[in-house]
Amino acid sequence: MYNYPSDQARDHDKDFPFYQYPKIIDGFSLNGDRQANYDRSQFQWLDPAQEKKLLNGNIQLNLDSGFNTRIPRLEREERLDYMLQWILHNREKFEKDFGSDFICYRGVLRKIMCIPYERNEGLIIRAMKWRNTVFLCEEPTKEKKNKIPTEKELRFSYWGYKFEDYMMTSRTSQNQNSESQSEERLNENTEFNCVFRTKLGKYRLLFIAEMDGYYSADKNTPQQTAAEKGAPSELKPSHFVELKTSRQIEHPGQDRTLRKFKTLKWWTQCFLVGTENVLVGWRDDDGIVHSGTKFPVKSLPKSALEWKGNVCANILLQVLEFLSKTIQENSLTRVWRLEWFPHQGFQLKVETDGTEPFLAAL
């Protein structure tokens, strides 16, 4: 019988644990077919002119433009593939060990952090230990696997991609204005990812996260000039900005939803990678953005409703500690399965149904 971590917020409401400022050690791109390219071809700068218009309320962005001609996101189970491919691409760095206690995607860490406040969705994490490192891989729940997104949900997802498209200046399109960009077919598959090293408590973490726009390091250098030079040689977490769209607030219920649910996801996402600002475009029901707000990430817990950042960080630490103490054997065949569902708590078992180990590539 395992001594499972508590999933109750009150049990984690204590001092904030040590979290080392994350360091970006590499970056890579996913192209339009979601194939990894070990370059910065999908790196994008935030367009300062667009940001200024957005914050001044002097803008009109039609997020629905191009929806019917988009290149939709390829829906396939990617498991930990990009992380493992990156490790193999950099195998000379890992001849002795991985230099980490846990390797995963940011999404797994973020979802663990939200467990004390999650009331609807469960979480399944497959875990394997190799060369003294625990690899974590999320598996979709049955509900997620069987769910077919509605057109409304697909449209909302597209609006997020489209907002990024309006607000970015890539190396290859730095001279395009927002009007000409809106006429192009938007490919939902491309992204730029960073590889991070950090530490929570005593546990060393190595994870990948998709990143949005980047601020020019030199305030005196026009962003267009910076874009022509391509991505900087050293990427700093604090220079990235997270882009979000949200329904414009018109009544107290919408404000409550924002501060109780959305800001929790924004904060956990940004906290893990050291992003300091969230740029939000306020949209109406037709997908038109007329204004925006820039939220400092550190301000989000202060305005939160019914969630606390220290609770999120502490439950993550407790779950990592539980897995570290429980999974002792190095094996490329043994797969552990940690499940959590609302009102049911945690359950851990070893998979015995012949499922494929996800570290086969190593």
Side-chain angles (χ1 to χ4, degrees):
M1 189 68 180
Y2 300 114
N3 185 20
Y4 292 111
S6 168
D7 61 358
Q8 299 300 304
R10 62 179 178 271
D11 295 324
H12 300 286
D13 191 5
K14 46 194 174 184
D15 291 345
F16 209 106
F18 168 76
Y19 187 70
Q20 186 178 65
Y21 188 75
K23 181 180 180 181
I24 298 173
I25 62 172
D26 200 5
F28 66 91
S29 303
L30 298 185
N31 65 19
D33 296 316
R34 295 198 66 75
Q35 299 298 313
N37 294 329
Y38 299 102
D39 57 29
R40 299 185 179 180
S41 55
Q42 298 302 329
F43 173 89
Q44 296 186 99
W45 298 90
L46 181 72
D47 187 330
Q50 286 286 82
E51 181 190 30
K52 185 177 181 179
K53 291 179 183 178
L54 181 75
L55 298 178
N56 289 338
N58 184 29
I59 202 166
Q60 181 167 313
L61 304 177
N62 181 4
L63 302 182
D64 208 51
S65 175
F67 174 75
N68 293 324
T69 59
R70 76 194 189 284
I71 301 174
R73 174 74 173 258
L74 296 171
E75 294 299 331
R76 60 192 183 204
E77 194 173 339
E78 295 173 338
R79 299 184 293 183
L80 207 57
D81 295 354
Y82 298 121
M83 183 85 248
L84 302 182
Q85 291 171 19
W86 179 84
I87 290 174
L88 292 175
H89 184 74
N90 294 275
R91 57 172 59 88
E92 71 281 355
K93 299 178 182 178
F94 304 104
E95 290 181 356
K96 295 182 180 180
D97 58 41
F98 298 113
S100 306
D101 298 300
F102 290 92
I103 292 179
C104 58
Y105 291 152
R106 171 182 57 183
V108 170
L109 304 176
R110 185 192 68 76
K111 290 182 179 181
I112 294 173
M113 294 176 78
C114 293
I115 280 177
Y117 306 107
E118 180 59 57
R119 297 294 178 265
N120 299 309
E121 295 185 0
L123 178 62
I124 299 174
I125 301 172
R126 303 178 76 204
M128 296 180 68
K129 187 170 187 177
W130 183 242
R131 291 166 65 178
N132 298 317
T133 296
V134 178
F135 291 76
L136 304 177
C137 176
E138 182 182 359
E139 178 179 299
T141 62
K142 287 183 179 179
E143 290 75 15
K144 283 187 179 180
K145 288 180 179 179
N146 296 330
K147 180 175 174 54
I148 299 176
T150 64
E151 181 175 331
K152 183 178 181 180
E153 290 170 334
L154 292 173
R155 201 172 291 273
F156 282 171
S157 177
Y158 173 80
W159 287 358
Y161 291 115
K162 191 63 181 178
F163 181 59
E164 294 178 7
D165 184 55
Y166 278 123
M167 299 303 299
M168 303 292 197
T169 299
S170 70
R171 184 178 182 183
T172 56
S173 63
Q174 65 264 21
N175 294 320
Q176 294 177 331
N177 58 34
S178 60
E179 286 75 18
S180 63
Q181 287 184 43
S182 68
E183 296 172 1
E184 297 180 356
R185 292 186 70 192
L186 191 150
N187 192 326
E188 298 180 346
N189 295 284
T190 60
E191 60 184 62
F192 181 71
N193 291 271
C194 286
V195 185
F196 291 86
R197 278 198 185 278
T198 186
K199 203 172 189 181
L200 177 63
K202 67 178 182 179
Y203 299 106
R204 300 165 298 166
L205 309 179
L206 178 68
F207 61 86
I208 284 175
E210 180 186 358
M211 305 300 287
D212 291 342
Y214 197 81
Y215 283 107
S216 174
D218 184 357
K219 300 297 183 182
N220 298 316
T221 300
Q223 199 86 331
Q224 305 292 11
T225 302
E228 291 171 1
K229 297 178 180 179
S233 57
E234 180 185 358
L235 297 174
K236 299 180 180 181
S238 61
H239 286 233
F240 279 100
V241 62
E242 184 67 30
L243 299 179
K244 299 292 184 182
T245 61
S246 187
R247 178 66 166 80
Q248 58 194 31
I249 305 299
E250 296 178 342
H251 58 75
Q254 292 172 331
D255 179 67
R256 179 178 176 81
T257 297
L258 177 75
R259 295 196 288 138
K260 184 177 179 180
F261 300 109
K262 286 195 174 182
T263 57
L264 169 61
K265 294 182 178 180
W266 297 352
W267 180 81
T268 51
Q269 188 176 4
C270 294
F271 166 78
L272 287 166
V273 297
T275 297
E276 293 186 354
N277 291 287
V278 181
L279 187 60
V280 179
W282 302 112
R283 61 161 183 83
D284 60 23
D285 290 334
D286 296 320
I288 306 297
V289 171
H290 295 283
S291 64
T293 303
K294 182 159 66 175
F295 292 98
V297 171
K298 64 182 180 182
S299 74
L300 297 179
K302 298 176 183 178
S303 62
L305 277 180
E306 301 178 24
W307 66 266
K308 294 183 178 181
N310 61 313
V311 170
C312 298
N314 277 310
I315 190 173
L316 176 58
L317 178 59
Q318 290 300 310
V319 170
L320 295 181
E321 184 176 39
F322 168 74
L323 292 172
S324 178
K325 290 181 177 179
T326 306
I327 303 176
Q328 295 290 320
E329 178 187 357
N330 286 295
S331 173
L332 286 175
T333 57
R334 172 169 287 197
V335 181
W336 296 77
R337 187 181 188 86
L338 180 67
E339 297 185 356
W340 177 86
F341 289 93
H343 313 297
Q344 297 180 31
F346 290 99
Q347 284 192 332
L348 180 69
K349 63 181 181 180
V350 176
E351 293 184 359
T352 58
D353 54 1
T355 53
E356 180 183 356
F358 61 87
L359 291 186
L362 294 180

